[in-house]
Amino acid sequence: MLDPAAQRPVDQLADVRIQQGRIVEIGRGLIAPRIIDVTDLWIVPGLIDLHVHLREPGHEYKEDIETGTRAAAAGGFTTICCMPNTKPVNDQRAITELIVRRAQEVGLVRVRPIGAISQGLEGKLLAEIAEMKEAGIVAISDDGRPVMNAGLLRRAFEYAKTFDLPLVQHAEDLDLSEGGAMNEGAVATRIGIKGQPACAESAMVARDLEIVEWTGARYHVAHVSTARTVALVRDAKRRGLPVTCEVTPHHLALTDEACSHYDTRTKVMPPLRTTADQEALLEALADGTIDAIATDHAPHSSVEKDVEFECAAPGMLGLETALPILLDFVRMGTLDEKRVIAAFTGGPARAFGLSGGSLAIGSVADLTVIDPERAMTLTPDALLSKSKNSPFLGQKLAGRAVLTFVEGRLVYDLDGRMK
Ligand code: DOR
Ligand code: ZN
């Protein structure tokens, strides 16, 4: 088993006994009424994804809470946080309640909603943060859009601070990004697509950090994609600011070269960057500057994707490919498995103050069994998500969840071991 939060040895061979939804004992040769043999596999805390677009309410043709949570369980996730850019926007109690209720009805993984910062994501008036907090939001964000107005951001920080909620910024200075469809650089010039500069992200993070310093509020940078951004976050952490950040598997695995063939599945916001950025992100993940791996699972249908690159909606699927993509870095020796599992579990739990993320005795039995070598070729049929917008289709991916438990309850069973 692998439990970075507990600082147990990585290669500990152990049985985990679950009773009434909790981990009650860890050791060798434990006795229980039912035993599942997972010899040679990894038992890890259930994975936590801080950044998912479930699309319900309003865009159920792309994804809904049932298909999205099914995809999450298959990806090894036991908790996912869903972004408020639904229709209507999750900017008030009724919408938060609806999401929480639907997720409970479906009964697969835990869904923790993120509330909007501004009403309608319009960047003008603050959303009903207090009421949404009562209904269960764990953070606030206008994700999909940045908070451009610094005065509004300051007020949002002050408000969030009184509720101890992290504010999640989609860092993109719209005056700098100017609608660029990919990263500004040699590839964009070569293929004739308007780009957006890396500084569109880092300039906003630099501004935000000044306001964090002023307000003392918790700040989380969504999907960091540039070397400059991680340098700023590293420095802010060194100064003791309450700052965390996440990186997506696609920004770690791909660069703007992937856009060369105008494949709209490679169009994401922030855009795929350069090799130098990719290397800086890997280094920042390894040294702990980056707290969490978050998928930014962004399902879109062919209506949004089978169009010209510039017109296509940004976003790609992530829930079912995150683990194998990260395990590739482990196989290549770029990252160690303990660090990767920490960034999928304890790291995100701490960033948003969520329960879970460790296999401590007495904790709720959210856990995932991983076969690190299990290979598959990704096909549209294999994806449980309603949408199929993954640039990894057709590729061989290795390493996946074979069993996922939420509170001791089986929510995913790849091989029917539990039948
Ligand atoms: O690629 C993205 N897709 N980035 C975002 O910020 C929004 C997201 C979406 O909602 O599709
Ligand atoms: Zn975003």
Side-chain angles (χ1 to χ4, degrees), residues 218-250:
R218 288 162 69 191
Y219 177 58
H220 179 84
V221 192
H223 39 52
V224 295
S225 69
T226 76
R228 273 301 296 154
T229 302
V230 291
L232 288 166
V233 171
R234 187 178 286 118
D235 179 61
K237 286 187 164 191
R238 207 173 284 142
R239 281 156 49 215
L241 295 182
V243 174
T244 53
C245 72
E246 65 187 36
V247 68
T248 71
H250 50 269

PDB file of all heavy atoms in Angstrom, residues 218-250:
ATOM      1  N   ARG A 218      -7.057  32.717   1.361  1.00  0.00           N
ATOM      2  CA  ARG A 218      -6.520  31.526   0.682  1.00  0.00           C
ATOM      3  C   ARG A 218      -6.727  31.618  -0.825  1.00  0.00           C
ATOM      4  O   ARG A 218      -7.818  31.895  -1.311  1.00  0.00           O
ATOM      5  CB  ARG A 218      -7.227  30.263   1.203  1.00  0.00           C
ATOM      6  CG  ARG A 218      -6.817  29.880   2.607  1.00  0.00           C
ATOM      7  CD  ARG A 218      -7.818  28.944   3.222  1.00  0.00           C
ATOM      8  NE  ARG A 218      -7.811  27.622   2.595  1.00  0.00           N
ATOM      9  CZ  ARG A 218      -8.740  26.699   2.830  1.00  0.00           C
ATOM     10  NH1 ARG A 218      -9.751  26.947   3.633  1.00  0.00           N
ATOM     11  NH2 ARG A 218      -8.657  25.520   2.241  1.00  0.00           N
ATOM     12  N   TYR A 219      -5.665  31.317  -1.535  1.00  0.00           N
ATOM     13  CA  TYR A 219      -5.658  31.463  -3.001  1.00  0.00           C
ATOM     14  C   TYR A 219      -5.158  30.167  -3.627  1.00  0.00           C
ATOM     15  O   TYR A 219      -4.132  29.624  -3.228  1.00  0.00           O
ATOM     16  CB  TYR A 219      -4.713  32.621  -3.348  1.00  0.00           C
ATOM     17  CG  TYR A 219      -4.504  32.911  -4.820  1.00  0.00           C
ATOM     18  CD1 TYR A 219      -5.574  33.211  -5.661  1.00  0.00           C
ATOM     19  CD2 TYR A 219      -3.214  32.921  -5.363  1.00  0.00           C
ATOM     20  CE1 TYR A 219      -5.355  33.516  -6.998  1.00  0.00           C
ATOM     21  CE2 TYR A 219      -2.988  33.230  -6.701  1.00  0.00           C
ATOM     22  CZ  TYR A 219      -4.068  33.529  -7.511  1.00  0.00           C
ATOM     23  OH  TYR A 219      -3.868  33.836  -8.836  1.00  0.00           O
ATOM     24  N   HIS A 220      -5.916  29.672  -4.594  1.00  0.00           N
ATOM     25  CA  HIS A 220      -5.535  28.440  -5.298  1.00  0.00           C
ATOM     26  C   HIS A 220      -5.515  28.742  -6.800  1.00  0.00           C
ATOM     27  O   HIS A 220      -6.514  29.185  -7.349  1.00  0.00           O
ATOM     28  CB  HIS A 220      -6.543  27.332  -4.978  1.00  0.00           C
ATOM     29  CG  HIS A 220      -6.261  26.035  -5.676  1.00  0.00           C
ATOM     30  ND1 HIS A 220      -5.371  25.087  -5.183  1.00  0.00           N
ATOM     31  CD2 HIS A 220      -6.737  25.512  -6.827  1.00  0.00           C
ATOM     32  CE1 HIS A 220      -5.326  24.049  -6.002  1.00  0.00           C
ATOM     33  NE2 HIS A 220      -6.141  24.285  -7.013  1.00  0.00           N
ATOM     34  N   VAL A 221      -4.380  28.502  -7.429  1.00  0.00           N
ATOM     35  CA  VAL A 221      -4.287  28.755  -8.863  1.00  0.00           C
ATOM     36  C   VAL A 221      -4.685  27.484  -9.604  1.00  0.00           C
ATOM     37  O   VAL A 221      -4.055  26.433  -9.440  1.00  0.00           O
ATOM     38  CB  VAL A 221      -2.858  29.169  -9.290  1.00  0.00           C
ATOM     39  CG1 VAL A 221      -2.882  29.693 -10.722  1.00  0.00           C
ATOM     40  CG2 VAL A 221      -2.269  30.200  -8.350  1.00  0.00           C
ATOM     41  N   ALA A 222      -5.724  27.576 -10.398  1.00  0.00           N
ATOM     42  CA  ALA A 222      -6.172  26.428 -11.198  1.00  0.00           C
ATOM     43  C   ALA A 222      -5.181  26.179 -12.331  1.00  0.00           C
ATOM     44  O   ALA A 222      -4.461  27.090 -12.751  1.00  0.00           O
ATOM     45  CB  ALA A 222      -7.563  26.710 -11.774  1.00  0.00           C
ATOM     46  N   HIS A 223      -5.148  24.954 -12.786  1.00  0.00           N
ATOM     47  CA  HIS A 223      -4.376  24.538 -13.973  1.00  0.00           C
ATOM     48  C   HIS A 223      -3.174  25.426 -14.331  1.00  0.00           C
ATOM     49  O   HIS A 223      -3.180  26.088 -15.367  1.00  0.00           O
ATOM     50  CB  HIS A 223      -5.294  24.383 -15.184  1.00  0.00           C
ATOM     51  CG  HIS A 223      -6.396  25.409 -15.343  1.00  0.00           C
ATOM     52  ND1 HIS A 223      -6.171  26.760 -15.325  1.00  0.00           N
ATOM     53  CD2 HIS A 223      -7.727  25.256 -15.532  1.00  0.00           C
ATOM     54  CE1 HIS A 223      -7.322  27.407 -15.498  1.00  0.00           C
ATOM     55  NE2 HIS A 223      -8.280  26.502 -15.617  1.00  0.00           N
ATOM     56  N   VAL A 224      -2.159  25.440 -13.491  1.00  0.00           N
ATOM     57  CA  VAL A 224      -0.947  26.222 -13.821  1.00  0.00           C
ATOM     58  C   VAL A 224      -0.306  25.615 -15.067  1.00  0.00           C
ATOM     59  O   VAL A 224      -0.255  24.401 -15.242  1.00  0.00           O
ATOM     60  CB  VAL A 224       0.085  26.267 -12.666  1.00  0.00           C
ATOM     61  CG1 VAL A 224      -0.473  27.010 -11.460  1.00  0.00           C
ATOM     62  CG2 VAL A 224       0.561  24.888 -12.262  1.00  0.00           C
ATOM     63  N   SER A 225       0.179  26.506 -15.946  1.00  0.00           N
ATOM     64  CA  SER A 225       0.684  25.973 -17.215  1.00  0.00           C
ATOM     65  C   SER A 225       2.023  26.545 -17.641  1.00  0.00           C
ATOM     66  O   SER A 225       2.579  26.124 -18.643  1.00  0.00           O
ATOM     67  CB  SER A 225      -0.355  26.209 -18.323  1.00  0.00           C
ATOM     68  OG  SER A 225      -0.456  27.587 -18.622  1.00  0.00           O
ATOM     69  N   THR A 226       2.542  27.531 -16.892  1.00  0.00           N
ATOM     70  CA  THR A 226       3.787  28.147 -17.356  1.00  0.00           C
ATOM     71  C   THR A 226       4.882  28.112 -16.293  1.00  0.00           C
ATOM     72  O   THR A 226       4.609  28.064 -15.085  1.00  0.00           O
ATOM     73  CB  THR A 226       3.584  29.634 -17.769  1.00  0.00           C
ATOM     74  OG1 THR A 226       3.486  30.437 -16.589  1.00  0.00           O
ATOM     75  CG2 THR A 226       2.336  29.815 -18.611  1.00  0.00           C
ATOM     76  N   ALA A 227       6.121  28.193 -16.786  1.00  0.00           N
ATOM     77  CA  ALA A 227       7.280  28.208 -15.892  1.00  0.00           C
ATOM     78  C   ALA A 227       7.229  29.422 -14.963  1.00  0.00           C
ATOM     79  O   ALA A 227       7.525  29.328 -13.773  1.00  0.00           O
ATOM     80  CB  ALA A 227       8.568  28.225 -16.720  1.00  0.00           C
ATOM     81  N   ARG A 228       6.830  30.571 -15.503  1.00  0.00           N
ATOM     82  CA  ARG A 228       6.763  31.785 -14.676  1.00  0.00           C
ATOM     83  C   ARG A 228       5.733  31.645 -13.558  1.00  0.00           C
ATOM     84  O   ARG A 228       5.949  32.084 -12.441  1.00  0.00           O
ATOM     85  CB  ARG A 228       6.399  33.006 -15.541  1.00  0.00           C
ATOM     86  CG  ARG A 228       7.564  33.696 -16.196  1.00  0.00           C
ATOM     87  CD  ARG A 228       8.586  34.210 -15.206  1.00  0.00           C
ATOM     88  NE  ARG A 228       8.073  35.249 -14.314  1.00  0.00           N
ATOM     89  CZ  ARG A 228       8.561  35.500 -13.100  1.00  0.00           C
ATOM     90  NH1 ARG A 228       9.559  34.779 -12.620  1.00  0.00           N
ATOM     91  NH2 ARG A 228       8.044  36.468 -12.366  1.00  0.00           N
ATOM     92  N   THR A 229       4.599  31.043 -13.869  1.00  0.00           N
ATOM     93  CA  THR A 229       3.571  30.897 -12.828  1.00  0.00           C
ATOM     94  C   THR A 229       4.098  30.068 -11.668  1.00  0.00           C
ATOM     95  O   THR A 229       3.932  30.445 -10.504  1.00  0.00           O
ATOM     96  CB  THR A 229       2.294  30.245 -13.410  1.00  0.00           C
ATOM     97  OG1 THR A 229       1.822  31.052 -14.480  1.00  0.00           O
ATOM     98  CG2 THR A 229       1.211  30.127 -12.357  1.00  0.00           C
ATOM     99  N   VAL A 230       4.739  28.935 -11.976  1.00  0.00           N
ATOM    100  CA  VAL A 230       5.204  28.114 -10.852  1.00  0.00           C
ATOM    101  C   VAL A 230       6.329  28.805 -10.085  1.00  0.00           C
ATOM    102  O   VAL A 230       6.451  28.636  -8.869  1.00  0.00           O
ATOM    103  CB  VAL A 230       5.577  26.660 -11.251  1.00  0.00           C
ATOM    104  CG1 VAL A 230       4.341  25.882 -11.626  1.00  0.00           C
ATOM    105  CG2 VAL A 230       6.628  26.590 -12.319  1.00  0.00           C
ATOM    106  N   ALA A 231       7.106  29.629 -10.775  1.00  0.00           N
ATOM    107  CA  ALA A 231       8.146  30.386 -10.052  1.00  0.00           C
ATOM    108  C   ALA A 231       7.493  31.362  -9.066  1.00  0.00           C
ATOM    109  O   ALA A 231       7.939  31.516  -7.929  1.00  0.00           O
ATOM    110  CB  ALA A 231       9.040  31.130 -11.047  1.00  0.00           C
ATOM    111  N   LEU A 232       6.418  32.006  -9.510  1.00  0.00           N
ATOM    112  CA  LEU A 232       5.695  32.940  -8.628  1.00  0.00           C
ATOM    113  C   LEU A 232       5.074  32.216  -7.437  1.00  0.00           C
ATOM    114  O   LEU A 232       5.121  32.701  -6.306  1.00  0.00           O
ATOM    115  CB  LEU A 232       4.596  33.668  -9.421  1.00  0.00           C
ATOM    116  CG  LEU A 232       5.075  34.732 -10.423  1.00  0.00           C
ATOM    117  CD1 LEU A 232       3.938  35.123 -11.365  1.00  0.00           C
ATOM    118  CD2 LEU A 232       5.603  35.957  -9.687  1.00  0.00           C
ATOM    119  N   VAL A 233       4.493  31.053  -7.696  1.00  0.00           N
ATOM    120  CA  VAL A 233       3.863  30.297  -6.598  1.00  0.00           C
ATOM    121  C   VAL A 233       4.932  29.813  -5.615  1.00  0.00           C
ATOM    122  O   VAL A 233       4.760  29.884  -4.399  1.00  0.00           O
ATOM    123  CB  VAL A 233       3.035  29.106  -7.145  1.00  0.00           C
ATOM    124  CG1 VAL A 233       2.568  28.197  -6.014  1.00  0.00           C
ATOM    125  CG2 VAL A 233       1.829  29.607  -7.943  1.00  0.00           C
ATOM    126  N   ARG A 234       6.046  29.363  -6.167  1.00  0.00           N
ATOM    127  CA  ARG A 234       7.140  28.874  -5.296  1.00  0.00           C
ATOM    128  C   ARG A 234       7.599  30.003  -4.361  1.00  0.00           C
ATOM    129  O   ARG A 234       7.754  29.811  -3.156  1.00  0.00           O
ATOM    130  CB  ARG A 234       8.295  28.369  -6.167  1.00  0.00           C
ATOM    131  CG  ARG A 234       9.397  27.685  -5.385  1.00  0.00           C
ATOM    132  CD  ARG A 234      10.500  27.159  -6.306  1.00  0.00           C
ATOM    133  NE  ARG A 234      10.110  25.965  -7.039  1.00  0.00           N
ATOM    134  CZ  ARG A 234      10.028  25.870  -8.366  1.00  0.00           C
ATOM    135  NH1 ARG A 234      10.304  26.921  -9.133  1.00  0.00           N
ATOM    136  NH2 ARG A 234       9.666  24.742  -8.941  1.00  0.00           N
ATOM    137  N   ASP A 235       7.756  31.173  -4.944  1.00  0.00           N
ATOM    138  CA  ASP A 235       8.209  32.316  -4.158  1.00  0.00           C
ATOM    139  C   ASP A 235       7.149  32.720  -3.120  1.00  0.00           C
ATOM    140  O   ASP A 235       7.481  33.002  -1.967  1.00  0.00           O
ATOM    141  CB  ASP A 235       8.498  33.486  -5.121  1.00  0.00           C
ATOM    142  CG  ASP A 235       8.961  34.710  -4.365  1.00  0.00           C
ATOM    143  OD1 ASP A 235      10.002  34.613  -3.695  1.00  0.00           O
ATOM    144  OD2 ASP A 235       8.267  35.753  -4.410  1.00  0.00           O
ATOM    145  N   ALA A 236       5.885  32.694  -3.512  1.00  0.00           N
ATOM    146  CA  ALA A 236       4.805  33.060  -2.579  1.00  0.00           C
ATOM    147  C   ALA A 236       4.754  32.088  -1.403  1.00  0.00           C
ATOM    148  O   ALA A 236       4.553  32.486  -0.257  1.00  0.00           O
ATOM    149  CB  ALA A 236       3.468  33.073  -3.316  1.00  0.00           C
ATOM    150  N   LYS A 237       4.956  30.814  -1.707  1.00  0.00           N
ATOM    151  CA  LYS A 237       4.947  29.817  -0.622  1.00  0.00           C
ATOM    152  C   LYS A 237       6.127  30.058   0.319  1.00  0.00           C
ATOM    153  O   LYS A 237       5.998  29.926   1.539  1.00  0.00           O
ATOM    154  CB  LYS A 237       5.023  28.407  -1.210  1.00  0.00           C
ATOM    155  CG  LYS A 237       3.723  27.965  -1.849  1.00  0.00           C
ATOM    156  CD  LYS A 237       3.789  26.507  -2.257  1.00  0.00           C
ATOM    157  CE  LYS A 237       2.393  25.977  -2.522  1.00  0.00           C
ATOM    158  NZ  LYS A 237       2.342  24.528  -2.672  1.00  0.00           N
ATOM    159  N   ARG A 238       7.254  30.378  -0.273  1.00  0.00           N
ATOM    160  CA  ARG A 238       8.444  30.646   0.536  1.00  0.00           C
ATOM    161  C   ARG A 238       8.180  31.828   1.477  1.00  0.00           C
ATOM    162  O   ARG A 238       8.643  31.849   2.610  1.00  0.00           O
ATOM    163  CB  ARG A 238       9.621  30.967  -0.397  1.00  0.00           C
ATOM    164  CG  ARG A 238      10.969  30.648   0.185  1.00  0.00           C
ATOM    165  CD  ARG A 238      12.082  30.827  -0.846  1.00  0.00           C
ATOM    166  NE  ARG A 238      12.154  29.749  -1.826  1.00  0.00           N
ATOM    167  CZ  ARG A 238      12.438  29.903  -3.121  1.00  0.00           C
ATOM    168  NH1 ARG A 238      12.669  31.111  -3.619  1.00  0.00           N
ATOM    169  NH2 ARG A 238      12.513  28.861  -3.917  1.00  0.00           N
ATOM    170  N   ARG A 239       7.398  32.792   0.981  1.00  0.00           N
ATOM    171  CA  ARG A 239       7.053  33.951   1.819  1.00  0.00           C
ATOM    172  C   ARG A 239       5.941  33.644   2.803  1.00  0.00           C
ATOM    173  O   ARG A 239       5.497  34.524   3.540  1.00  0.00           O
ATOM    174  CB  ARG A 239       6.655  35.130   0.928  1.00  0.00           C
ATOM    175  CG  ARG A 239       7.863  35.841   0.331  1.00  0.00           C
ATOM    176  CD  ARG A 239       7.544  36.583  -0.959  1.00  0.00           C
ATOM    177  NE  ARG A 239       6.364  37.421  -0.877  1.00  0.00           N
ATOM    178  CZ  ARG A 239       5.516  37.619  -1.898  1.00  0.00           C
ATOM    179  NH1 ARG A 239       5.713  37.021  -3.054  1.00  0.00           N
ATOM    180  NH2 ARG A 239       4.478  38.409  -1.738  1.00  0.00           N
ATOM    181  N   GLY A 240       5.438  32.409   2.780  1.00  0.00           N
ATOM    182  CA  GLY A 240       4.445  32.004   3.770  1.00  0.00           C
ATOM    183  C   GLY A 240       3.011  32.386   3.426  1.00  0.00           C
ATOM    184  O   GLY A 240       2.131  32.334   4.287  1.00  0.00           O
ATOM    185  N   LEU A 241       2.750  32.767   2.181  1.00  0.00           N
ATOM    186  CA  LEU A 241       1.377  33.123   1.805  1.00  0.00           C
ATOM    187  C   LEU A 241       0.526  31.854   1.694  1.00  0.00           C
ATOM    188  O   LEU A 241       1.030  30.785   1.355  1.00  0.00           O
ATOM    189  CB  LEU A 241       1.376  33.879   0.471  1.00  0.00           C
ATOM    190  CG  LEU A 241       2.065  35.243   0.473  1.00  0.00           C
ATOM    191  CD1 LEU A 241       1.941  35.905  -0.899  1.00  0.00           C
ATOM    192  CD2 LEU A 241       1.464  36.140   1.534  1.00  0.00           C
ATOM    193  N   PRO A 242      -0.791  31.989   1.964  1.00  0.00           N
ATOM    194  CA  PRO A 242      -1.682  30.821   1.917  1.00  0.00           C
ATOM    195  C   PRO A 242      -2.059  30.459   0.481  1.00  0.00           C
ATOM    196  O   PRO A 242      -3.199  30.605   0.060  1.00  0.00           O
ATOM    197  CB  PRO A 242      -2.898  31.283   2.728  1.00  0.00           C
ATOM    198  CG  PRO A 242      -2.917  32.766   2.572  1.00  0.00           C
ATOM    199  CD  PRO A 242      -1.494  33.211   2.414  1.00  0.00           C
ATOM    200  N   VAL A 243      -1.081  29.988  -0.268  1.00  0.00           N
ATOM    201  CA  VAL A 243      -1.244  29.765  -1.707  1.00  0.00           C
ATOM    202  C   VAL A 243      -1.049  28.286  -2.044  1.00  0.00           C
ATOM    203  O   VAL A 243      -0.131  27.643  -1.523  1.00  0.00           O
ATOM    204  CB  VAL A 243      -0.199  30.611  -2.472  1.00  0.00           C
ATOM    205  CG1 VAL A 243      -0.223  30.296  -3.954  1.00  0.00           C
ATOM    206  CG2 VAL A 243      -0.451  32.083  -2.232  1.00  0.00           C
ATOM    207  N   THR A 244      -1.923  27.767  -2.891  1.00  0.00           N
ATOM    208  CA  THR A 244      -1.778  26.395  -3.403  1.00  0.00           C
ATOM    209  C   THR A 244      -2.030  26.427  -4.905  1.00  0.00           C
ATOM    210  O   THR A 244      -2.543  27.418  -5.435  1.00  0.00           O
ATOM    211  CB  THR A 244      -2.791  25.434  -2.740  1.00  0.00           C
ATOM    212  OG1 THR A 244      -4.111  25.983  -2.881  1.00  0.00           O
ATOM    213  CG2 THR A 244      -2.510  25.216  -1.262  1.00  0.00           C
ATOM    214  N   CYS A 245      -1.671  25.343  -5.576  1.00  0.00           N
ATOM    215  CA  CYS A 245      -1.974  25.284  -7.008  1.00  0.00           C
ATOM    216  C   CYS A 245      -2.068  23.847  -7.488  1.00  0.00           C
ATOM    217  O   CYS A 245      -1.690  22.919  -6.790  1.00  0.00           O
ATOM    218  CB  CYS A 245      -0.943  26.062  -7.827  1.00  0.00           C
ATOM    219  SG  CYS A 245       0.665  25.276  -7.917  1.00  0.00           S
ATOM    220  N   GLU A 246      -2.613  23.708  -8.679  1.00  0.00           N
ATOM    221  CA  GLU A 246      -2.830  22.391  -9.283  1.00  0.00           C
ATOM    222  C   GLU A 246      -2.279  22.398 -10.705  1.00  0.00           C
ATOM    223  O   GLU A 246      -2.135  23.468 -11.321  1.00  0.00           O
ATOM    224  CB  GLU A 246      -4.331  22.088  -9.345  1.00  0.00           C
ATOM    225  CG  GLU A 246      -5.043  23.075 -10.280  1.00  0.00           C
ATOM    226  CD  GLU A 246      -6.562  22.995 -10.320  1.00  0.00           C
ATOM    227  OE1 GLU A 246      -7.195  22.731  -9.277  1.00  0.00           O
ATOM    228  OE2 GLU A 246      -7.113  23.229 -11.423  1.00  0.00           O
ATOM    229  N   VAL A 247      -2.008  21.209 -11.217  1.00  0.00           N
ATOM    230  CA  VAL A 247      -1.591  21.069 -12.616  1.00  0.00           C
ATOM    231  C   VAL A 247      -2.424  19.954 -13.242  1.00  0.00           C
ATOM    232  O   VAL A 247      -2.831  19.016 -12.556  1.00  0.00           O
ATOM    233  CB  VAL A 247      -0.075  20.757 -12.720  1.00  0.00           C
ATOM    234  CG1 VAL A 247       0.262  19.361 -12.182  1.00  0.00           C
ATOM    235  CG2 VAL A 247       0.436  20.903 -14.147  1.00  0.00           C
ATOM    236  N   THR A 248      -2.683  20.072 -14.527  1.00  0.00           N
ATOM    237  CA  THR A 248      -3.451  19.011 -15.196  1.00  0.00           C
ATOM    238  C   THR A 248      -2.497  17.973 -15.788  1.00  0.00           C
ATOM    239  O   THR A 248      -1.344  18.297 -16.119  1.00  0.00           O
ATOM    240  CB  THR A 248      -4.305  19.558 -16.365  1.00  0.00           C
ATOM    241  OG1 THR A 248      -3.413  19.918 -17.440  1.00  0.00           O
ATOM    242  CG2 THR A 248      -5.135  20.765 -15.959  1.00  0.00           C
ATOM    243  N   PRO A 249      -2.975  16.752 -15.961  1.00  0.00           N
ATOM    244  CA  PRO A 249      -2.153  15.750 -16.648  1.00  0.00           C
ATOM    245  C   PRO A 249      -1.777  16.197 -18.057  1.00  0.00           C
ATOM    246  O   PRO A 249      -0.662  15.946 -18.511  1.00  0.00           O
ATOM    247  CB  PRO A 249      -3.066  14.517 -16.686  1.00  0.00           C
ATOM    248  CG  PRO A 249      -3.992  14.693 -15.520  1.00  0.00           C
ATOM    249  CD  PRO A 249      -4.225  16.177 -15.424  1.00  0.00           C
ATOM    250  N   HIS A 250      -2.692  16.912 -18.744  1.00  0.00           N
ATOM    251  CA  HIS A 250      -2.365  17.269 -20.139  1.00  0.00           C
ATOM    252  C   HIS A 250      -1.287  18.328 -20.245  1.00  0.00           C
ATOM    253  O   HIS A 250      -0.486  18.287 -21.182  1.00  0.00           O
ATOM    254  CB  HIS A 250      -3.615  17.630 -20.965  1.00  0.00           C
ATOM    255  CG  HIS A 250      -4.563  18.617 -20.369  1.00  0.00           C
ATOM    256  ND1 HIS A 250      -5.624  18.246 -19.590  1.00  0.00           N
ATOM    257  CD2 HIS A 250      -4.632  19.977 -20.455  1.00  0.00           C
ATOM    258  CE1 HIS A 250      -6.306  19.331 -19.234  1.00  0.00           C
ATOM    259  NE2 HIS A 250      -5.720  20.383 -19.734  1.00  0.00           N
TER     260      HIS A 250
END
